[in-house]
Amino acid sequence: MASNNKQESRVSRNRNQPPKPPKKHWFRRIILTLVALFVVGVLAGVGLFFYYAQSSPTVTESSLKSENSTKVYDSNGTLIANLGTATREYVKSDNIPTTLKNAVVSIEDKRFYQHKGVDYYRIIGAALGNLKGSSLGMQGGSTLTMQLVKLAAFSTSTSDRNLKVKAQEAWLALNVEKHFSKSQILEFYINKVYMGNGIYGMGTAAEYYYGKSLSKLNLSQLALLAGMPQSPTYYNPYTYPSYATSRRNTVLQAMYDNKVITKQQEKDAEAVSVKTGLAKSHSNVVTKANKNKVIDSYLTEVLADIKSKGYDPYKDGLKVYTNLNMNAQKRLYAIANTSKYVTYPDNNFQLGVSVVDSYTGKISAMIGGRKHTNVTYGLNRAVQTDRSNASTMKPILDYGPAIEYLNWPTYKTVSDTKYNYPGTSTAVNDFDNNTLGNMTMRSALIQSRNIPAVKTLEAVGRTRAKTFANNLGMNLKKVYYANAIGANVSSLQVAGAYAAFANGGTYHKPYYINKIVTQDNQTTTYSSAGKRVMKKSTAYMITDMLKDVISSASGTGTTARISGVYQAGKTGTDGFPASDNKPSNADRDSWMAGYTKNYSVSVWTGYDTKAQYITPTTSKIAQDIYREMMSYLQQYSPNSDWVRPSTVGTVKKNNITELYVVGHLFSSSEASSGTSSSSSTTTNNGTTTTSSSSSSQTASSSSSASSSSAAASSSSSASSSSEAASSSSEASSSSAASSSSSQAASSSSAAESNNNQQGQ
């Protein structure tokens, strides 16, 4: 019994023990998890692919065959330009040499005849390349069919380099392969690619680069054409023969690797110079008629603007809608290039004109020169910044800031007495080398006297003046006292700045493009967000004074007068440095900038070289151009005067209605303070003003010799203004300003520091 009990006890114990856990297979679980994740990933990828595919753009035979040039439209949606410069020579498949087909396939997609639009092996290879840090990128997986689809439906902008677009390219490529043969697809591609210099298609490129049809080109030439689409600019055999040679040889090697040429053929073709057989002219290529000189300057800037926005205007097939008023542009071109409106002294006389919408900043018209040659996208003088804008700078850098920061009334007394640029012994002069004593700010601006302008800049302080001017788009790196009467800025910058005065103090950066539509119908619109840069009182008071520049008998802009039109404006002329040994009445530049409530127009005139110069007679041409252009514009826009804001008050001074900032009505003593170094009584334009001693001539210098040297460079063109309009003219002090740098360098830097502090 005892024995049985022991046995039962062992059995019982064994039964009561928990079963041993099975052996854990961790490795198998990891594998299964990875497989599951892979399957889920594949399913997600497939789902995402079809999700993207549903929103794919439409690709038609027409879009596959058409050239990929960008089309430009005016503000009314009328086509004005096609950026392809030549009529395309479309070559049918039967007329495309087999050698060229082999070259294209070898370099772009060697499995072209095996896949159905998407090369899965190539995609995997590109993906592995990306993981290894290869430069292939996502484009490495693109087949020739996918590249064709991209040309037909997408752009090359950064926004179109993403997974969604690649998925859509693949989907569309699969569909293209279902509807078109390989021969057709290759034909579409060869005729569609961009080949540089505004040329589309390899057939047109053969005529352009070699003056022959494709069928007459040799292996070396065909290999080069096959390789050019990757980078038409750098593989241009005319301009970059070494790059072109390298690319051609790469194509030849690919052809050998693809077994479509022999090693001997490869070597023989490589031995041929890429310059062999290049055409010396391109007269055999028919240029498109819509390459119109009328819009050349405007189109030049539109082209640059498209590129700055990340698009390729020659590859992306865009629709670009601009702000161009084509009727105004035609009139501006006629004004510049015929004698119907303005009489010019000779064909070398040049101009640069910008027309800006006062309320929006839209650039309505522009011309960068007259009597153009056949050069396309030539020099646009309307946007050049290498000439001084002379006295058109005075409202921007001098009197505008004085009203804005110092609350000066229009009857503020300013002194036209002997005066040196602060910190120097160099005198500020006017054309007549004369001084007129004390006068109101209004009178100084109307007559465009230089000394009061420089003194006003000194009173404001260059730091604040620079801020005010740069808020108006001047982009000044540093302000020198010579800039009070001119700085190197463009007519477009001046037009944009004056537009802010016209609309009551809001600056809109001028812009060309209204919207861009890509091939997949993605639309991006553009506008210039306005920024208030001055008080309404400042804009109105400047405008009120500038109205008198044109309407007053003593104003410098009387030639620009238009009967019945409410407008304001400013003239400017810039002389030569004394070292140029020009006649005393010779000027280098002449300006007229003016505006209505609707448009701002800025005109520069002059010569490209110093060999010729403007005379007192031809200096009026800028005003003639302005008057004719503004007269045309005002026919199609409302003509109304500016309404005085509640922040501006009026007061009679010597029978003249003067303006002041409400809350800052200057007394006679306040108005005349800070004008001259000694008391004097002067009568000007019927206004008798008594001035008191002041510190307006406190010396101030550049903080260093290097600053002074820069000032001299600016001064040589900016500070010499002269103009004889009716009984008054603008000053010319270039020779004096040119010599100021060495003297300024020795002046106390503390004086300039003190001046800046006083201007705060």
Side-chain angles (χ1 to χ4, degrees):
M1 290 294 293
S3 174
N4 289 338
N5 288 338
K6 277 186 178 182
Q7 186 175 358
E8 288 176 1
S9 177
R10 284 196 299 270
V11 172
S12 177
R13 286 197 301 269
N14 288 336
R15 285 176 179 174
N16 293 332
Q17 289 179 356
K20 293 182 179 181
K23 188 175 182 180
K24 297 180 179 179
H25 299 285
W26 295 107
F27 180 73
R28 184 174 63 182
R29 290 184 179 181
I30 291 173
I31 295 298
L32 290 174
T33 300
L34 291 175
V35 170
L37 290 174
F38 175 77
V39 172
V40 170
V42 170
L43 292 175
V46 171
L48 184 62
F49 174 82
F50 283 104
Y51 172 75
Y52 286 150
Q54 290 178 355
S55 59
S56 296
T58 302
V59 172
T60 64
E61 181 175 357
S62 176
S63 64
L64 292 171
K65 293 178 69 174
S66 64
E67 62 178 322
N68 226 40
S69 61
T70 289
K71 293 176 174 58
V72 182
Y73 301 83
D74 68 8
S75 58
N76 290 323
T78 302
L79 180 67
I80 57 173
N82 185 322
L83 293 184
T85 60
T87 301
R88 185 176 55 154
E89 184 73 25
Y90 192 93
V91 186
K92 299 291 290 184
S93 181
D94 292 344
N95 295 322
I96 298 175
T98 301
T99 301
L100 179 60
K101 293 179 181 179
N102 289 338
V104 170
V105 169
S106 297
I107 193 63
E108 296 294 344
D109 184 7
K110 68 179 182 180
R111 287 174 43 81
F112 174 66
Y113 293 105
Q114 284 75 50
H115 63 66
K116 300 298 182 181
V118 177
D119 190 341
Y120 302 104
Y121 295 103
R122 191 171 184 179
I123 290 175
I124 294 172
L128 293 175
N130 288 336
L131 292 175
K132 295 177 181 179
S134 169
S135 60
L136 272 174
M138 298 183 71
Q139 187 62 31
S142 293
T143 64
L144 196 150
T145 311
M146 290 173 67
Q147 292 180 49
L148 173 63
V149 165
K150 185 174 187 65
L151 291 173
F154 301 96
S155 75
T156 59
S157 66
T158 304
S159 61
D160 270 357
R161 298 173 188 171
N162 54 57
L163 183 60
K164 177 182 177 180
V165 171
K166 296 304 294 184
Q168 292 178 340
E169 284 178 13
W171 173 256
L172 292 173
L174 292 170
N175 281 276
V176 166
E177 293 261 359
K178 290 179 181 179
H179 294 89
F180 301 99
S181 67
K182 293 288 186 180
S183 179
Q184 286 177 301
I185 292 170
L186 198 53
E187 174 189 312
F188 296 155
Y189 177 85
I190 287 174
N191 283 284
K192 195 175 187 68
V193 289
Y194 181 61
M195 301 295 289
N197 296 294
I199 301 299
Y200 291 88
M202 296 182 185
T204 315
E207 296 288 348
Y208 181 87
Y209 290 106
Y210 299 108
K212 300 178 181 178
S213 63
L214 283 173
S215 61
K216 296 181 180 179
L217 300 187
N218 59 39
L219 173 60
S220 171
Q221 295 165 337
L222 291 172
L224 176 60
L225 293 184
M228 283 185 70
Q230 186 187 70
S231 182
T233 299
Y234 289 109
Y235 298 146
N236 185 323
Y238 289 105
T239 53
Y240 299 104
S242 60
Y243 294 155
T245 299
S246 177
R247 180 61 175 171
R248 180 204 60 185
N249 293 347
T250 298
V251 174
L252 290 170
Q253 182 179 350
M255 293 178 73
Y256 170 73
D257 293 341
N258 210 28
K259 299 179 181 179
V260 292
I261 60 172
T262 65
K263 192 65 177 178
Q264 189 59 49
Q265 286 176 309
E266 178 190 359
K267 289 182 178 179
D268 291 344
E270 287 178 346
V272 178
S273 169
V274 291
K275 292 186 176 182
T276 300
L278 287 178
K280 295 182 179 180
S281 69
H282 312 296
S283 57
N284 56 319
V285 178
V286 180
T287 57
K288 293 185 177 179
N290 62 12
K291 275 308 205 185
N292 202 325
K293 293 180 182 179
V294 173
I295 60 173
D296 186 75
S297 295
Y298 198 100
L299 202 58
T300 298
E301 304 312 313
V302 169
L303 186 62
D305 201 10
I306 294 171
K307 293 177 180 178
S308 72
K309 297 181 189 306
Y311 298 100
D312 188 328
Y314 295 108
K315 293 182 179 180
D316 291 346
L318 307 169
K319 292 181 179 179
V320 180
Y321 295 85
T322 70
N323 297 317
L324 178 68
N325 180 331
M326 191 60 185
N327 290 331
Q329 183 69 25
K330 288 178 180 178
R331 174 57 64 91
L332 182 57
Y333 184 84
I335 291 171
N337 291 281
T338 71
S339 57
K340 182 178 180 180
Y341 304 96
V342 176
T343 300
Y344 296 94
D346 52 65
N347 287 344
N348 293 329
F349 190 91
Q350 283 299 341
L351 49 75
V353 185
S354 300
V355 181
V356 173
D357 185 295
S358 298
Y359 287 102
T360 63
K362 293 180 178 179
I363 302 172
S364 301
M366 173 179 284
I367 195 163
R370 56 184 298 272
K371 299 299 180 182
H372 278 307
T373 62
N374 290 324
V375 175
T376 301
Y377 306 140
L379 176 65
N380 182 3
R381 297 168 185 82
V383 298
Q384 295 300 302
T385 57
D386 58 348
R387 306 294 275 264
S388 171
N389 69 328
S391 291
T392 62
M393 182 61 85
K394 290 174 181 176
I396 298 170
L397 195 64
D398 310 330
Y399 298 116
I403 298 172
E404 181 76 7
Y405 301 124
L406 305 180
N407 295 302
W408 278 14
T410 59
Y411 58 89
K412 175 72 173 72
T413 303
V414 292
S415 176
D416 187 15
T417 55
K418 289 186 177 181
Y419 172 76
N420 295 337
Y421 284 102
T424 77
S425 59
T426 302
V428 182
N429 295 314
D430 278 275
F431 84 104
D432 53 6
N433 289 317
N434 195 12
T435 56
L436 303 182
N438 292 341
M439 61 179 64
T440 64
M441 175 171 66
R442 179 187 294 275
S443 183
L445 186 53
I446 291 172
Q447 298 184 60
S448 198
R449 303 299 293 181
N450 282 351
I451 293 172
V454 181
K455 286 186 175 182
T456 299
L457 173 59
E458 184 183 11
V460 171
R462 286 175 293 171
T463 298
R464 289 195 294 191
K466 175 185 174 183
T467 298
F468 188 89
N470 284 348
N471 281 339
L472 289 172
M474 293 298 101
N475 299 324
L476 302 176
K477 301 299 182 184
K478 189 168 184 178
V479 170
Y480 303 96
Y481 286 111
N483 296 142
I485 48 179
N488 288 358
V489 296
S490 69
S491 78
L492 181 60
Q493 288 175 285
V494 174
Y498 276 37
F501 292 126
N503 67 39
T506 299
Y507 175 73
H508 296 268
K509 184 178 181 180
Y511 68 110
Y512 301 91
I513 296 175
N514 180 37
K515 68 177 178 179
I516 293 177
V517 181
T518 59
Q519 293 188 111
D520 57 347
N521 289 320
Q522 298 296 313
T523 300
T524 303
T525 58
Y526 301 92
S527 63
S528 182
K531 176 186 177 184
R532 176 159 291 283
V533 295
M534 71 183 85
K535 303 167 189 172
K536 291 181 180 180
S537 53
T538 302
Y540 183 82
M541 291 168 68
I542 286 292
T543 296
D544 191 72
M545 291 188 290
L546 293 184
K547 287 164 69 176
D548 286 349
V549 170
I550 297 173
S551 62
S552 172
S554 60
T556 59
T558 54
T559 302
R561 188 179 300 165
I562 305 171
S563 179
V565 173
Y566 297 102
Q567 60 175 340
K570 185 70 190 74
T571 58
T573 50
D574 179 37
F576 289 91
S579 57
D580 284 347
N581 296 316
K582 298 295 182 184
S584 60
N585 63 351
D587 288 315
R588 190 179 186 200
D589 309 284
S590 181
W591 290 70
M592 176 64 204
Y595 54 90
T596 63
K597 290 177 69 174
N598 307 294
Y599 291 101
S600 176
V601 178
S602 177
V603 181
W604 166 84
T605 60
Y607 290 93
D608 289 336
T609 68
K610 293 183 179 181
Q612 292 178 277
Y613 52 83
I614 295 172
T615 66
T617 300
T618 56
S619 69
K620 304 295 184 186
I621 292 178
Q623 295 184 50
D624 291 331
I625 295 168
Y626 167 86
R627 183 191 64 248
E628 294 300 324
M629 190 63 212
M630 189 61 85
S631 295
Y632 174 81
L633 293 170
Q634 282 307 113
Q635 295 179 50
Y636 306 98
S637 56
N639 177 30
S640 60
D641 200 359
W642 288 268
V643 177
R644 179 168 55 87
S646 59
T647 51
V648 175
T650 63
V651 61
K652 281 285 186 179
K653 296 285 185 180
N654 297 314
N655 295 320
I656 297 175
T657 300
E658 300 285 9
L659 307 178
Y660 66 91
V661 180
V662 170
H664 300 277
L665 178 60
F666 280 34
S667 65
S668 296
S669 60
E670 288 175 314
S672 62
S673 67
T675 58
S676 66
S677 57
S678 61
S679 297
S680 63
T681 301
T682 307
T683 300
N684 281 304
N685 299 328
T687 301
T688 301
T689 308
T690 302
S691 64
S692 61
S693 62
S694 74
S695 59
S696 68
Q697 296 186 44
T698 301
S700 162
S701 73
S702 300
S703 59
S704 67
S706 60
S707 297
S708 304
S709 176
S713 174
S714 174
S715 300
S716 64
S717 63
S719 65
S720 57
S721 307
S722 67
E723 180 173 296
S726 302
S727 63
S728 61
S729 299
E730 292 176 28
S732 176
S733 57
S734 61
S735 60
S738 298
S739 64
S740 67
S741 61
S742 60
Q743 298 179 47
S746 62
S747 302
S748 169
S749 61
E752 181 170 358
S753 175
N754 291 336
N755 176 74
N756 286 336
Q757 292 173 3
Q758 292 167 1
Q760 295 301 317

